[in-house]
Amino acid sequence: MNALSPERTGAEAPFYRPVAQEVALFEAAHANGLPLLLKGPTGCGKTRFVEHMAARLNRPLYTVACHDDLSAADLIGRYLLRGGATEWVDGPLTRAVREGAICYLDEVIEARKDVTVVLHPLTDNRRTLMIDRTGEELVAPPAFMLVASYNPGYQNILKRLKPSTRQRFLSITFGFPDAVTETAVVARESGLDAARVVPLVRLAGHIRALSGMDLEEGVSTRLLIYAATLIAGGMPIDRALQAAVIEPLTDEPDVAQALRDVIASVY
Ligand code: ADP
């Protein structure tokens, strides 16, 4: 989605199967004007959860995928030259504040340090966005909510969310769903029969047990959905797992072989 055009809500919320009490927590955070931090590995449903909640609460959603070049100006806005005149153009965060929308900063830890300075007054009881360039000071309406995510697994010394930032957010840890939930999610998203999803989810459990040793991270729900989609389309299981599980997880031939051994023990 383009961060500048909000995902309009309305009709039907995208499918999301709750794993614990996250729906109630999100609703309480929104009702009380509190920001929320989602922690967890990639592909475990954080983005889908936010999309679902935005639709449920009937708020527009601005999603920003943060990266190491993302600056405060990218979020707030900048003067642009248009037809010979300079014109102020709001960034996605400013728009979300003006519209009382939900702003989701995905992988916020990747963003440049000046972003933190902007987030602080917005995430405490001031709920204010300072736009230095125009001198504007926006007070967020009650419906505005800031949601951020990060993957603690990728943390290193250089990239860490400072305690002063972390302690402004309610936080919730996302893990991979339990086997029954994950089977339902993968079957629904891929169209593969649940009975054929069961071994895939079992395989994921074995692979996740290896993570941290040879693998940086276990196989995500997203990759399982890819594998199931290929299998549902008629691809032989070994080819589907090679493309959707082994190759995305590793470049090392010996790790790939270890994964093939795990697959052989399940199928
Ligand atoms: P993240 O933002 O954590 O990287 P996503 O939200 O993009 O991950 O999740 C990847 C995919 O996994 C989603 O597109 C969705 O199909 C599926 N998914 C994961 N968990 C759930 C869930 N609890 N309910 C519905 N779909 C889910």
Side-chain angles (χ1 to χ4, degrees), residues 245-256:
V245 174
I246 298 175
E247 297 287 352
L249 286 183
T250 187
D251 300 321
E252 307 291 333
D254 48 340
V255 178

Side-chain angles (χ1 to χ4, degrees), residues 92-160:
L93 181 61
T94 306
R95 284 203 190 181
V97 171
R98 287 196 207 280
E99 294 175 17
I102 293 173
C103 185
Y104 175 44
L105 304 180
D106 191 10
E107 290 296 339
V108 67
I109 210 162
E110 299 293 333
R112 273 166 42 175
K113 286 217 177 74
D114 61 343
V115 166
T116 323
V117 179
V118 173
L119 297 185
H120 280 198
L122 198 55
T123 47
D124 56 31
N125 53 8
R126 289 171 283 176
R127 287 185 42 99
T128 313
L129 180 67
M130 322 274 193
I131 310 182
D132 289 345
R133 301 294 300 277
T134 64
E136 238 185 316
E137 207 178 298
L138 295 178
V139 177
F144 169 78
M145 180 174 175
L146 185 71
V147 184
S149 73
Y150 83 103
N151 181 350
Y154 292 157
Q155 265 202 78
N156 61 38
I157 305 277
L158 294 174
K159 279 193 177 153
R160 236 187 214 165

Side-chain angles (χ1 to χ4, degrees), residues 15-17 41-48 185 189 221-222 225:
F15 165 71
Y16 177 74
R17 180 153 168 158
T42 182
C44 71
K46 301 183 295 298
T47 304
R48 175 63 66 90
V185 166
E189 295 282 306
T221 305
R222 183 188 294 121
I225 294 168

Side-chain angles (χ1 to χ4, degrees), residues 64 206 233:
V64 182
H206 291 313

Side-chain angles (χ1 to χ4, degrees), residues 147-185:
V147 184
S149 73
Y150 83 103
N151 181 350
Y154 292 157
Q155 265 202 78
N156 61 38
I157 305 277
L158 294 174
K159 279 193 177 153
R160 236 187 214 165
L161 220 47
K162 286 195 296 187
S164 58
T165 307
R166 291 174 68 129
Q167 295 207 15
R168 284 157 196 276
F169 288 83
L170 291 176
S171 300
I172 183 168
T173 294
F174 272 66
F176 295 112
D178 61 85
V180 172
T181 305
E182 192 163 38
T183 302
V185 166

